[in-house]
Amino acid sequence: MSLTPHNFDYIRSLLHERTGNLLDDCKEYLIVQRLDPLLRREAVGTIDELITKLRTTPVCGLHDAVAQALLTHETSFFRDPHYFEQIRKNVIPRIIKLRRGQKSLRIWCAACSSGQEPLSIAMLLREHFSMQLRSWTVHLCASDFSPQIIQRARRGQYTDMEINRGLPPELKRQYFVRDGAHWQTDVRLQEMVEFREINLVHPVLELPRMDLILLRNVLIYMDQEPRQKILSTIRNLLNPGGYLVLGGPETTHKLDASGSFRRIEFGCMSCLQIQ
Ligand SMILES: C[S@@+](CC[C@H](N)C(=O)[O-])C[C@H]1O[C@@H](n2cnc3c(N)ncnc32)[C@H](O)[C@@H]1O
């Protein structure tokens, strides 16, 4: 099954408008593969028919479902372990020192996919900071554009392959139990994370200011304009002295014209603070 150039451009613009994500010219196969389940759901025979339906219906859930199907949700527990080591060794201790007057710690994983990233943070907090944070209010929020992936994250169920990617065996034993074909996350971790649907390209005004924001491996799929928009939203949601952590290949280079952020290096992880 292939797409006419006209229809390819339509899907590309739909994805960009709704999520800021880009699709390369060579990604036609990806559209065909990822939209296939939607054809059945919508009872249409071809992608061209699906696109006709999209073009002729006012913007609705179907448009979002198409955008959702095209996003990349690649993630794993403790992805880039050296980041979690630096968050444990440097970032959290500094925030604790800074916020010991208020005894409040707020963390946001801003594109959390199926939840492995916030659960890794939850395990890190429980394993290393339980004593220090005993009388603190800790708020760990995790969000994604995709309602489907957020539902999955809320269920807290992982396959053998997912559970064995990055999760140390002792943490697996402690926080996950086998439940049929899945591994179920322990309620102690699940209760720590508030999962929400948030589209980063629309201003996220209802969130409180955060001490740590993880925005990893999402800007890389976007172009300049949505990246700039998201970073300026994030800037307003970060507490002075708080940290923004991007993914390894991501940078604010050329996106931070007003010099809102300064770079801080911890070992081989760099993160950002507001000026
Ligand atoms: C590659 S995953 C990264 C997950 C995790 N942060 C990590 O590093 O392992 C990117 C996630 O960003 C989400 N995403 C893409 N565009 C988004 C947007 N405009 N708003 C919110 N989430 C978005 C996708 O749904 C996907 O789950």
Side-chain angles (χ1 to χ4, degrees), residues 18-21 68 71-76 79-80 110-114 117 143-146 149 198-201 214-218 221-222 230 247:
R18 308 200 76 69
T19 71
N21 283 241
Q68 248 189 85
L71 294 174
T72 300
H73 300 299
E74 167 69 14
T75 189
S76 56
R79 181 177 187 177
D80 300 325
C112 69
S113 187
S114 37
E117 184 179 74
S143 64
D144 201 280
F145 169 81
S146 163
I149 206 87
I198 293 177
N199 185 351
L200 293 167
V201 295
L214 280 83
L215 179 70
R216 301 196 314 147
N217 305 304
V218 57
Y221 298 104
M222 299 179 178
I230 291 171

PDB file of all heavy atoms in Angstrom, residues 18-21 68 71-76 79-80 110-114 117 143-146 149 198-201 214-218 221-222 230 247, ligand 1:
ATOM      1  N   ARG A  18      -0.321  18.992  15.297  1.00  0.00           N
ATOM      2  CA  ARG A  18      -0.874  18.512  16.572  1.00  0.00           C
ATOM      3  C   ARG A  18       0.194  18.214  17.615  1.00  0.00           C
ATOM      4  O   ARG A  18      -0.084  18.288  18.805  1.00  0.00           O
ATOM      5  CB  ARG A  18      -1.759  17.274  16.352  1.00  0.00           C
ATOM      6  CG  ARG A  18      -2.820  17.507  15.277  1.00  0.00           C
ATOM      7  CD  ARG A  18      -3.957  16.557  15.352  1.00  0.00           C
ATOM      8  NE  ARG A  18      -4.863  16.870  16.433  1.00  0.00           N
ATOM      9  CZ  ARG A  18      -5.655  17.935  16.465  1.00  0.00           C
ATOM     10  NH1 ARG A  18      -5.629  18.806  15.486  1.00  0.00           N
ATOM     11  NH2 ARG A  18      -6.451  18.140  17.480  1.00  0.00           N
ATOM     12  N   THR A  19       1.410  17.837  17.163  1.00  0.00           N
ATOM     13  CA  THR A  19       2.418  17.423  18.158  1.00  0.00           C
ATOM     14  C   THR A  19       3.788  18.084  18.000  1.00  0.00           C
ATOM     15  O   THR A  19       4.655  17.881  18.848  1.00  0.00           O
ATOM     16  CB  THR A  19       2.671  15.893  18.082  1.00  0.00           C
ATOM     17  OG1 THR A  19       3.394  15.622  16.862  1.00  0.00           O
ATOM     18  CG2 THR A  19       1.397  15.086  18.110  1.00  0.00           C
ATOM     19  N   GLY A  20       4.016  18.787  16.915  1.00  0.00           N
ATOM     20  CA  GLY A  20       5.345  19.370  16.671  1.00  0.00           C
ATOM     21  C   GLY A  20       6.331  18.371  16.088  1.00  0.00           C
ATOM     22  O   GLY A  20       7.456  18.737  15.751  1.00  0.00           O
ATOM     23  N   ASN A  21       5.928  17.097  15.952  1.00  0.00           N
ATOM     24  CA  ASN A  21       6.863  16.080  15.445  1.00  0.00           C
ATOM     25  C   ASN A  21       6.983  16.134  13.923  1.00  0.00           C
ATOM     26  O   ASN A  21       6.003  16.423  13.220  1.00  0.00           O
ATOM     27  CB  ASN A  21       6.395  14.672  15.858  1.00  0.00           C
ATOM     28  CG  ASN A  21       6.687  14.365  17.314  1.00  0.00           C
ATOM     29  OD1 ASN A  21       7.407  13.438  17.637  1.00  0.00           O
ATOM     30  ND2 ASN A  21       6.135  15.161  18.213  1.00  0.00           N
ATOM     31  N   GLN A  68      -1.170  10.129  17.313  1.00  0.00           N
ATOM     32  CA  GLN A  68      -0.694   9.179  18.334  1.00  0.00           C
ATOM     33  C   GLN A  68      -0.020   7.963  17.740  1.00  0.00           C
ATOM     34  O   GLN A  68       1.018   7.526  18.197  1.00  0.00           O
ATOM     35  CB  GLN A  68      -1.932   8.635  19.060  1.00  0.00           C
ATOM     36  CG  GLN A  68      -2.097   9.042  20.467  1.00  0.00           C
ATOM     37  CD  GLN A  68      -3.250   8.231  21.059  1.00  0.00           C
ATOM     38  OE1 GLN A  68      -3.062   7.125  21.506  1.00  0.00           O
ATOM     39  NE2 GLN A  68      -4.434   8.796  21.055  1.00  0.00           N
ATOM     40  N   LEU A  71       3.653   8.517  16.581  1.00  0.00           N
ATOM     41  CA  LEU A  71       4.728   8.925  17.492  1.00  0.00           C
ATOM     42  C   LEU A  71       5.608   7.739  17.883  1.00  0.00           C
ATOM     43  O   LEU A  71       5.158   6.598  17.889  1.00  0.00           O
ATOM     44  CB  LEU A  71       4.136   9.565  18.752  1.00  0.00           C
ATOM     45  CG  LEU A  71       3.412  10.894  18.539  1.00  0.00           C
ATOM     46  CD1 LEU A  71       2.743  11.357  19.832  1.00  0.00           C
ATOM     47  CD2 LEU A  71       4.371  11.959  18.030  1.00  0.00           C
ATOM     48  N   THR A  72       6.841   8.054  18.227  1.00  0.00           N
ATOM     49  CA  THR A  72       7.787   7.018  18.658  1.00  0.00           C
ATOM     50  C   THR A  72       7.807   6.976  20.172  1.00  0.00           C
ATOM     51  O   THR A  72       8.053   8.003  20.811  1.00  0.00           O
ATOM     52  CB  THR A  72       9.199   7.366  18.116  1.00  0.00           C
ATOM     53  OG1 THR A  72       9.097   7.398  16.703  1.00  0.00           O
ATOM     54  CG2 THR A  72      10.237   6.361  18.539  1.00  0.00           C
ATOM     55  N   HIS A  73       7.560   5.787  20.753  1.00  0.00           N
ATOM     56  CA  HIS A  73       7.441   5.681  22.213  1.00  0.00           C
ATOM     57  C   HIS A  73       8.616   4.940  22.852  1.00  0.00           C
ATOM     58  O   HIS A  73       8.522   4.498  23.990  1.00  0.00           O
ATOM     59  CB  HIS A  73       6.142   4.958  22.573  1.00  0.00           C
ATOM     60  CG  HIS A  73       4.913   5.660  22.075  1.00  0.00           C
ATOM     61  ND1 HIS A  73       4.572   6.932  22.459  1.00  0.00           N
ATOM     62  CD2 HIS A  73       3.959   5.270  21.195  1.00  0.00           C
ATOM     63  CE1 HIS A  73       3.455   7.291  21.853  1.00  0.00           C
ATOM     64  NE2 HIS A  73       3.066   6.313  21.071  1.00  0.00           N
ATOM     65  N   GLU A  74       9.692   4.796  22.099  1.00  0.00           N
ATOM     66  CA  GLU A  74      10.865   4.070  22.591  1.00  0.00           C
ATOM     67  C   GLU A  74      11.302   4.568  23.975  1.00  0.00           C
ATOM     68  O   GLU A  74      11.516   5.760  24.182  1.00  0.00           O
ATOM     69  CB  GLU A  74      11.987   4.304  21.558  1.00  0.00           C
ATOM     70  CG  GLU A  74      13.374   3.917  21.959  1.00  0.00           C
ATOM     71  CD  GLU A  74      13.558   2.405  22.074  1.00  0.00           C
ATOM     72  OE1 GLU A  74      12.701   1.658  21.590  1.00  0.00           O
ATOM     73  OE2 GLU A  74      14.551   2.000  22.689  1.00  0.00           O
ATOM     74  N   THR A  75      11.422   3.640  24.926  1.00  0.00           N
ATOM     75  CA  THR A  75      11.874   4.011  26.270  1.00  0.00           C
ATOM     76  C   THR A  75      12.353   2.765  26.992  1.00  0.00           C
ATOM     77  O   THR A  75      12.201   1.649  26.481  1.00  0.00           O
ATOM     78  CB  THR A  75      10.739   4.706  27.068  1.00  0.00           C
ATOM     79  OG1 THR A  75      11.281   5.236  28.277  1.00  0.00           O
ATOM     80  CG2 THR A  75       9.590   3.759  27.417  1.00  0.00           C
ATOM     81  N   SER A  76      12.940   2.934  28.159  1.00  0.00           N
ATOM     82  CA  SER A  76      13.309   1.767  28.983  1.00  0.00           C
ATOM     83  C   SER A  76      13.563   2.240  30.404  1.00  0.00           C
ATOM     84  O   SER A  76      13.705   3.438  30.646  1.00  0.00           O
ATOM     85  CB  SER A  76      14.559   1.071  28.427  1.00  0.00           C
ATOM     86  OG  SER A  76      15.624   1.978  28.334  1.00  0.00           O
ATOM     87  N   ARG A  79      16.946   4.476  31.443  1.00  0.00           N
ATOM     88  CA  ARG A  79      17.549   4.720  30.129  1.00  0.00           C
ATOM     89  C   ARG A  79      18.703   5.707  30.297  1.00  0.00           C
ATOM     90  O   ARG A  79      18.529   6.742  30.943  1.00  0.00           O
ATOM     91  CB  ARG A  79      16.476   5.310  29.206  1.00  0.00           C
ATOM     92  CG  ARG A  79      16.958   5.581  27.814  1.00  0.00           C
ATOM     93  CD  ARG A  79      15.804   6.097  26.986  1.00  0.00           C
ATOM     94  NE  ARG A  79      16.156   6.214  25.601  1.00  0.00           N
ATOM     95  CZ  ARG A  79      15.309   6.590  24.646  1.00  0.00           C
ATOM     96  NH1 ARG A  79      14.057   6.853  24.946  1.00  0.00           N
ATOM     97  NH2 ARG A  79      15.696   6.693  23.397  1.00  0.00           N
ATOM     98  N   ASP A  80      19.838   5.405  29.718  1.00  0.00           N
ATOM     99  CA  ASP A  80      21.069   6.178  29.935  1.00  0.00           C
ATOM    100  C   ASP A  80      21.390   6.203  31.435  1.00  0.00           C
ATOM    101  O   ASP A  80      21.218   7.225  32.118  1.00  0.00           O
ATOM    102  CB  ASP A  80      20.947   7.615  29.403  1.00  0.00           C
ATOM    103  CG  ASP A  80      20.677   7.643  27.914  1.00  0.00           C
ATOM    104  OD1 ASP A  80      21.203   6.770  27.202  1.00  0.00           O
ATOM    105  OD2 ASP A  80      19.888   8.498  27.467  1.00  0.00           O
ATOM    106  N   ALA A 110       8.210  14.924  31.378  1.00  0.00           N
ATOM    107  CA  ALA A 110       7.289  15.634  30.487  1.00  0.00           C
ATOM    108  C   ALA A 110       6.945  14.894  29.190  1.00  0.00           C
ATOM    109  O   ALA A 110       6.116  15.374  28.431  1.00  0.00           O
ATOM    110  CB  ALA A 110       7.867  17.003  30.165  1.00  0.00           C
ATOM    111  N   ALA A 111       7.561  13.780  28.909  1.00  0.00           N
ATOM    112  CA  ALA A 111       7.160  12.958  27.745  1.00  0.00           C
ATOM    113  C   ALA A 111       7.528  11.540  28.142  1.00  0.00           C
ATOM    114  O   ALA A 111       8.531  10.990  27.724  1.00  0.00           O
ATOM    115  CB  ALA A 111       7.883  13.397  26.483  1.00  0.00           C
ATOM    116  N   CYS A 112       6.672  10.939  28.978  1.00  0.00           N
ATOM    117  CA  CYS A 112       7.082   9.767  29.776  1.00  0.00           C
ATOM    118  C   CYS A 112       6.845   8.442  29.082  1.00  0.00           C
ATOM    119  O   CYS A 112       7.161   7.394  29.627  1.00  0.00           O
ATOM    120  CB  CYS A 112       6.353   9.787  31.109  1.00  0.00           C
ATOM    121  SG  CYS A 112       4.568   9.465  30.950  1.00  0.00           S
ATOM    122  N   SER A 113       6.223   8.467  27.898  1.00  0.00           N
ATOM    123  CA  SER A 113       5.898   7.228  27.191  1.00  0.00           C
ATOM    124  C   SER A 113       5.173   6.249  28.138  1.00  0.00           C
ATOM    125  O   SER A 113       4.299   6.659  28.899  1.00  0.00           O
ATOM    126  CB  SER A 113       7.171   6.633  26.577  1.00  0.00           C
ATOM    127  OG  SER A 113       6.846   5.535  25.775  1.00  0.00           O
ATOM    128  N   SER A 114       5.557   4.977  28.153  1.00  0.00           N
ATOM    129  CA  SER A 114       4.793   3.985  28.932  1.00  0.00           C
ATOM    130  C   SER A 114       5.174   3.935  30.414  1.00  0.00           C
ATOM    131  O   SER A 114       4.781   3.000  31.115  1.00  0.00           O
ATOM    132  CB  SER A 114       4.911   2.603  28.287  1.00  0.00           C
ATOM    133  OG  SER A 114       6.200   2.405  27.772  1.00  0.00           O
ATOM    134  N   GLU A 117      10.352   5.771  32.709  1.00  0.00           N
ATOM    135  CA  GLU A 117      11.205   6.873  33.201  1.00  0.00           C
ATOM    136  C   GLU A 117      10.735   7.368  34.584  1.00  0.00           C
ATOM    137  O   GLU A 117      11.534   7.400  35.524  1.00  0.00           O
ATOM    138  CB  GLU A 117      11.216   7.994  32.165  1.00  0.00           C
ATOM    139  CG  GLU A 117      12.129   9.137  32.512  1.00  0.00           C
ATOM    140  CD  GLU A 117      12.105  10.207  31.417  1.00  0.00           C
ATOM    141  OE1 GLU A 117      11.102  10.949  31.330  1.00  0.00           O
ATOM    142  OE2 GLU A 117      13.056  10.269  30.630  1.00  0.00           O
ATOM    143  N   SER A 143       3.768  12.837  32.148  1.00  0.00           N
ATOM    144  CA  SER A 143       2.750  13.116  31.132  1.00  0.00           C
ATOM    145  C   SER A 143       3.233  12.728  29.747  1.00  0.00           C
ATOM    146  O   SER A 143       4.434  12.584  29.492  1.00  0.00           O
ATOM    147  CB  SER A 143       2.394  14.607  31.153  1.00  0.00           C
ATOM    148  OG  SER A 143       3.523  15.359  30.794  1.00  0.00           O
ATOM    149  N   ASP A 144       2.270  12.599  28.857  1.00  0.00           N
ATOM    150  CA  ASP A 144       2.565  12.319  27.450  1.00  0.00           C
ATOM    151  C   ASP A 144       1.389  12.817  26.619  1.00  0.00           C
ATOM    152  O   ASP A 144       0.276  12.962  27.135  1.00  0.00           O
ATOM    153  CB  ASP A 144       2.767  10.809  27.244  1.00  0.00           C
ATOM    154  CG  ASP A 144       3.552  10.497  25.976  1.00  0.00           C
ATOM    155  OD1 ASP A 144       2.940  10.514  24.881  1.00  0.00           O
ATOM    156  OD2 ASP A 144       4.768  10.261  26.068  1.00  0.00           O
ATOM    157  N   PHE A 145       1.651  13.026  25.338  1.00  0.00           N
ATOM    158  CA  PHE A 145       0.572  13.436  24.428  1.00  0.00           C
ATOM    159  C   PHE A 145      -0.458  12.319  24.267  1.00  0.00           C
ATOM    160  O   PHE A 145      -1.652  12.564  24.135  1.00  0.00           O
ATOM    161  CB  PHE A 145       1.178  13.759  23.049  1.00  0.00           C
ATOM    162  CG  PHE A 145       0.160  13.928  21.965  1.00  0.00           C
ATOM    163  CD1 PHE A 145      -0.517  15.124  21.811  1.00  0.00           C
ATOM    164  CD2 PHE A 145      -0.146  12.878  21.098  1.00  0.00           C
ATOM    165  CE1 PHE A 145      -1.474  15.286  20.825  1.00  0.00           C
ATOM    166  CE2 PHE A 145      -1.102  13.020  20.102  1.00  0.00           C
ATOM    167  CZ  PHE A 145      -1.769  14.236  19.966  1.00  0.00           C
ATOM    168  N   SER A 146       0.023  11.091  24.268  1.00  0.00           N
ATOM    169  CA  SER A 146      -0.806   9.977  23.842  1.00  0.00           C
ATOM    170  C   SER A 146      -1.671   9.398  24.974  1.00  0.00           C
ATOM    171  O   SER A 146      -1.150   8.838  25.930  1.00  0.00           O
ATOM    172  CB  SER A 146       0.119   8.887  23.278  1.00  0.00           C
ATOM    173  OG  SER A 146      -0.549   7.669  23.219  1.00  0.00           O
ATOM    174  N   ILE A 149      -0.928   5.668  25.550  1.00  0.00           N
ATOM    175  CA  ILE A 149       0.321   5.322  26.245  1.00  0.00           C
ATOM    176  C   ILE A 149       0.198   5.695  27.728  1.00  0.00           C
ATOM    177  O   ILE A 149       0.743   5.016  28.596  1.00  0.00           O
ATOM    178  CB  ILE A 149       1.554   5.976  25.541  1.00  0.00           C
ATOM    179  CG1 ILE A 149       2.823   5.160  25.818  1.00  0.00           C
ATOM    180  CG2 ILE A 149       1.804   7.388  25.955  1.00  0.00           C
ATOM    181  CD1 ILE A 149       3.056   4.067  24.870  1.00  0.00           C
ATOM    182  N   ILE A 198      -0.722  15.404  28.555  1.00  0.00           N
ATOM    183  CA  ILE A 198      -0.374  16.810  28.308  1.00  0.00           C
ATOM    184  C   ILE A 198       0.325  16.902  26.955  1.00  0.00           C
ATOM    185  O   ILE A 198       1.290  16.176  26.695  1.00  0.00           O
ATOM    186  CB  ILE A 198       0.547  17.377  29.411  1.00  0.00           C
ATOM    187  CG1 ILE A 198      -0.206  17.452  30.744  1.00  0.00           C
ATOM    188  CG2 ILE A 198       1.087  18.756  29.031  1.00  0.00           C
ATOM    189  CD1 ILE A 198       0.628  17.921  31.927  1.00  0.00           C
ATOM    190  N   ASN A 199      -0.192  17.787  26.110  1.00  0.00           N
ATOM    191  CA  ASN A 199       0.469  18.049  24.832  1.00  0.00           C
ATOM    192  C   ASN A 199       1.420  19.221  25.024  1.00  0.00           C
ATOM    193  O   ASN A 199       0.994  20.335  25.322  1.00  0.00           O
ATOM    194  CB  ASN A 199      -0.585  18.379  23.769  1.00  0.00           C
ATOM    195  CG  ASN A 199       0.036  18.551  22.398  1.00  0.00           C
ATOM    196  OD1 ASN A 199       1.260  18.586  22.254  1.00  0.00           O
ATOM    197  ND2 ASN A 199      -0.806  18.664  21.395  1.00  0.00           N
ATOM    198  N   LEU A 200       2.693  18.969  24.826  1.00  0.00           N
ATOM    199  CA  LEU A 200       3.699  20.001  25.122  1.00  0.00           C
ATOM    200  C   LEU A 200       3.647  21.200  24.182  1.00  0.00           C
ATOM    201  O   LEU A 200       4.175  22.256  24.509  1.00  0.00           O
ATOM    202  CB  LEU A 200       5.103  19.385  25.082  1.00  0.00           C
ATOM    203  CG  LEU A 200       5.392  18.365  26.184  1.00  0.00           C
ATOM    204  CD1 LEU A 200       6.656  17.584  25.871  1.00  0.00           C
ATOM    205  CD2 LEU A 200       5.524  19.060  27.523  1.00  0.00           C
ATOM    206  N   VAL A 201       3.060  21.030  23.017  1.00  0.00           N
ATOM    207  CA  VAL A 201       3.015  22.191  22.125  1.00  0.00           C
ATOM    208  C   VAL A 201       1.872  23.149  22.460  1.00  0.00           C
ATOM    209  O   VAL A 201       1.750  24.204  21.854  1.00  0.00           O
ATOM    210  CB  VAL A 201       2.999  21.838  20.607  1.00  0.00           C
ATOM    211  CG1 VAL A 201       4.278  21.166  20.173  1.00  0.00           C
ATOM    212  CG2 VAL A 201       1.803  21.006  20.233  1.00  0.00           C
ATOM    213  N   LEU A 214      12.278  16.364  33.532  1.00  0.00           N
ATOM    214  CA  LEU A 214      12.943  15.502  32.549  1.00  0.00           C
ATOM    215  C   LEU A 214      12.186  15.637  31.237  1.00  0.00           C
ATOM    216  O   LEU A 214      10.971  15.374  31.191  1.00  0.00           O
ATOM    217  CB  LEU A 214      12.925  14.037  33.011  1.00  0.00           C
ATOM    218  CG  LEU A 214      13.983  13.677  34.046  1.00  0.00           C
ATOM    219  CD1 LEU A 214      13.519  14.056  35.437  1.00  0.00           C
ATOM    220  CD2 LEU A 214      14.303  12.203  34.016  1.00  0.00           C
ATOM    221  N   LEU A 215      12.890  16.093  30.226  1.00  0.00           N
ATOM    222  CA  LEU A 215      12.286  16.278  28.896  1.00  0.00           C
ATOM    223  C   LEU A 215      13.220  15.566  27.917  1.00  0.00           C
ATOM    224  O   LEU A 215      13.961  16.193  27.178  1.00  0.00           O
ATOM    225  CB  LEU A 215      12.201  17.786  28.590  1.00  0.00           C
ATOM    226  CG  LEU A 215      11.621  18.204  27.256  1.00  0.00           C
ATOM    227  CD1 LEU A 215      10.125  17.926  27.205  1.00  0.00           C
ATOM    228  CD2 LEU A 215      11.872  19.685  26.995  1.00  0.00           C
ATOM    229  N   ARG A 216      13.215  14.247  28.014  1.00  0.00           N
ATOM    230  CA  ARG A 216      14.264  13.491  27.335  1.00  0.00           C
ATOM    231  C   ARG A 216      13.735  12.788  26.095  1.00  0.00           C
ATOM    232  O   ARG A 216      12.674  12.169  26.104  1.00  0.00           O
ATOM    233  CB  ARG A 216      14.853  12.450  28.296  1.00  0.00           C
ATOM    234  CG  ARG A 216      15.437  13.100  29.559  1.00  0.00           C
ATOM    235  CD  ARG A 216      16.341  12.159  30.324  1.00  0.00           C
ATOM    236  NE  ARG A 216      15.769  10.847  30.495  1.00  0.00           N
ATOM    237  CZ  ARG A 216      16.495   9.726  30.533  1.00  0.00           C
ATOM    238  NH1 ARG A 216      17.805   9.769  30.409  1.00  0.00           N
ATOM    239  NH2 ARG A 216      15.899   8.572  30.716  1.00  0.00           N
ATOM    240  N   ASN A 217      14.510  12.919  25.025  1.00  0.00           N
ATOM    241  CA  ASN A 217      14.229  12.187  23.783  1.00  0.00           C
ATOM    242  C   ASN A 217      12.863  12.498  23.191  1.00  0.00           C
ATOM    243  O   ASN A 217      12.144  11.601  22.754  1.00  0.00           O
ATOM    244  CB  ASN A 217      14.406  10.672  24.032  1.00  0.00           C
ATOM    245  CG  ASN A 217      15.772  10.366  24.600  1.00  0.00           C
ATOM    246  OD1 ASN A 217      16.779  10.723  24.005  1.00  0.00           O
ATOM    247  ND2 ASN A 217      15.827   9.770  25.773  1.00  0.00           N
ATOM    248  N   VAL A 218      12.505  13.763  23.217  1.00  0.00           N
ATOM    249  CA  VAL A 218      11.264  14.180  22.543  1.00  0.00           C
ATOM    250  C   VAL A 218      11.546  15.361  21.611  1.00  0.00           C
ATOM    251  O   VAL A 218      11.082  15.358  20.465  1.00  0.00           O
ATOM    252  CB  VAL A 218      10.127  14.449  23.560  1.00  0.00           C
ATOM    253  CG1 VAL A 218      10.462  15.471  24.590  1.00  0.00           C
ATOM    254  CG2 VAL A 218       8.845  14.847  22.860  1.00  0.00           C
ATOM    255  N   TYR A 221      12.678  14.862  17.892  1.00  0.00           N
ATOM    256  CA  TYR A 221      11.771  14.545  16.783  1.00  0.00           C
ATOM    257  C   TYR A 221      11.086  15.794  16.217  1.00  0.00           C
ATOM    258  O   TYR A 221      10.218  15.684  15.362  1.00  0.00           O
ATOM    259  CB  TYR A 221      10.681  13.572  17.258  1.00  0.00           C
ATOM    260  CG  TYR A 221      11.240  12.238  17.718  1.00  0.00           C
ATOM    261  CD1 TYR A 221      11.330  11.924  19.074  1.00  0.00           C
ATOM    262  CD2 TYR A 221      11.691  11.302  16.796  1.00  0.00           C
ATOM    263  CE1 TYR A 221      11.854  10.705  19.493  1.00  0.00           C
ATOM    264  CE2 TYR A 221      12.220  10.087  17.208  1.00  0.00           C
ATOM    265  CZ  TYR A 221      12.299   9.801  18.551  1.00  0.00           C
ATOM    266  OH  TYR A 221      12.822   8.595  18.964  1.00  0.00           O
ATOM    267  N   MET A 222      11.443  16.967  16.751  1.00  0.00           N
ATOM    268  CA  MET A 222      10.724  18.198  16.374  1.00  0.00           C
ATOM    269  C   MET A 222      11.645  19.171  15.635  1.00  0.00           C
ATOM    270  O   MET A 222      12.858  19.027  15.662  1.00  0.00           O
ATOM    271  CB  MET A 222      10.188  18.883  17.628  1.00  0.00           C
ATOM    272  CG  MET A 222       9.218  18.024  18.389  1.00  0.00           C
ATOM    273  SD  MET A 222       8.646  18.860  19.870  1.00  0.00           S
ATOM    274  CE  MET A 222       7.497  17.658  20.496  1.00  0.00           C
ATOM    275  N   ILE A 230       8.163  24.940  23.381  1.00  0.00           N
ATOM    276  CA  ILE A 230       8.178  24.053  24.551  1.00  0.00           C
ATOM    277  C   ILE A 230       9.197  24.557  25.573  1.00  0.00           C
ATOM    278  O   ILE A 230       8.913  24.613  26.774  1.00  0.00           O
ATOM    279  CB  ILE A 230       8.472  22.594  24.128  1.00  0.00           C
ATOM    280  CG1 ILE A 230       7.293  22.040  23.335  1.00  0.00           C
ATOM    281  CG2 ILE A 230       8.773  21.711  25.340  1.00  0.00           C
ATOM    282  CD1 ILE A 230       7.527  20.696  22.670  1.00  0.00           C
ATOM    283  N   GLY A 247      17.490  14.876  26.738  1.00  0.00           N
ATOM    284  CA  GLY A 247      18.104  13.612  26.329  1.00  0.00           C
ATOM    285  C   GLY A 247      19.532  13.847  25.862  1.00  0.00           C
ATOM    286  O   GLY A 247      19.902  14.983  25.522  1.00  0.00           O
TER     287      GLY A 247
HETATM  288  C1  LIG B   1      10.969   8.478  22.514  1.00  0.00           C
HETATM  289  S1  LIG B   1       9.757   8.686  23.766  1.00  0.00           S
HETATM  290  C2  LIG B   1      10.797   9.193  25.122  1.00  0.00           C
HETATM  291  C3  LIG B   1      10.322   8.656  26.445  1.00  0.00           C
HETATM  292  C4  LIG B   1      11.203   8.981  27.640  1.00  0.00           C
HETATM  293  N1  LIG B   1      11.246  10.392  27.897  1.00  0.00           N
HETATM  294  C5  LIG B   1      12.588   8.447  27.441  1.00  0.00           C
HETATM  295  O1  LIG B   1      13.525   9.211  27.211  1.00  0.00           O
HETATM  296  O2  LIG B   1      12.765   7.205  27.498  1.00  0.00           O
HETATM  297  C6  LIG B   1       9.019  10.226  23.236  1.00  0.00           C
HETATM  298  C7  LIG B   1       7.652  10.439  23.831  1.00  0.00           C
HETATM  299  O3  LIG B   1       7.279  11.803  23.567  1.00  0.00           O
HETATM  300  C8  LIG B   1       5.884  11.845  23.351  1.00  0.00           C
HETATM  301  N2  LIG B   1       5.537  13.089  22.625  1.00  0.00           N
HETATM  302  C9  LIG B   1       5.801  13.401  21.346  1.00  0.00           C
HETATM  303  N3  LIG B   1       5.303  14.620  21.045  1.00  0.00           N
HETATM  304  C10 LIG B   1       4.718  15.075  22.170  1.00  0.00           C
HETATM  305  C11 LIG B   1       4.012  16.274  22.504  1.00  0.00           C
HETATM  306  N4  LIG B   1       3.796  17.243  21.599  1.00  0.00           N
HETATM  307  N5  LIG B   1       3.537  16.411  23.749  1.00  0.00           N
HETATM  308  C12 LIG B   1       3.736  15.442  24.680  1.00  0.00           C
HETATM  309  N6  LIG B   1       4.377  14.285  24.420  1.00  0.00           N
HETATM  310  C13 LIG B   1       4.872  14.108  23.184  1.00  0.00           C
HETATM  311  C14 LIG B   1       5.598  10.579  22.559  1.00  0.00           C
HETATM  312  O4  LIG B   1       4.236  10.188  22.653  1.00  0.00           O
HETATM  313  C15 LIG B   1       6.569   9.581  23.208  1.00  0.00           C
HETATM  314  O5  LIG B   1       5.936   8.788  24.179  1.00  0.00           O
END
